[in-house]
Amino acid sequence: MTTTKPTPQSRPIRLGPRSLLSLILVSAVGLAALGWPLLAPPEAAVNAHSEDAPWLFAGLLVLLVAVVAATISESGLGPKAVAMLGVLAATGAALRPIGAGTAGIEPMFFLMLLSGRVLGPGFGFVLGALSMFASALLTGGVGPWMPFQMLAMGWFTMGAGLLPGPDRLRGLPERLMLAAYGFLAAFAYGTLTNLAGWPFMNSLASNIAFDPEAGVPANLARFVVYCLATSLGWDLGRALVTVLLTLTLGPAILRALRRATRRAAFEAPVTFEGTAR
């Protein structure tokens, strides 16, 4: 009895040294931009500008994400990959408003999870960031928090592309792995985006707001309570919806994405034949 091995997945973007370095750079700056309230001691100069820092970091992240997208595009984002990127980003942006305002029901995360798994980390990062940007324009959610949401969604989708066994793991084990990742990553996404908005709160208005005069342990305790009080219900709803959709609709969507990827043959160059004269 012979068994056939799964065909290695075609990836629209192969991360090269320059693309990888750009991703590491934007991730490092993003983590610093999100975590500065917990990392900076009370006497640090950044605390003197606690109201301005999120805006400055947001502007910097916009530029860095653009640089990463351009760098990855130069590494091999061909016309077929651009077409798939546009379709998936538009679909993700359209899915985000569904259930908005209702217990964190966000099916967009399910699509990003499966797309990152099939299309790889490089494509996943660009897709996640672009989808969040498009959805912000669609829903009017443009503000200093948007670059942080773009970065967090890029990480979420890229992480799915880094999960083990992309060429051999199939069926229920793969769906269980994706569901577990989606559940944990949904909470991680909520925590990261909370860090983007938390410093905007006036410390005089709430005892869970960021206090520039407090130490790191005190602010960490405030942030944990802030997350529990404001976003736990949303994060749990997002996580459960992602798990449910992954286990039920996952097989069909994964097959469709893999079939489209095989037919696109991203590694094959596009050639145009001229007409004889």
Side-chain angles (χ1 to χ4, degrees), residues 30 46 128 155 163 199 217 268:
V46 70
W155 284 339
L163 293 174

Side-chain angles (χ1 to χ4, degrees), residues 10 15 22 57 107 132 148 172 176 196 219 222 240 247 262 264-265:
S10 173
L15 291 178
S22 298
F57 280 130
M132 189 57 70
F148 298 99
L172 183 59
L176 290 175
N219 270 321
R222 284 169 172 254
L240 293 177
L247 295 178
R262 286 195 301 270

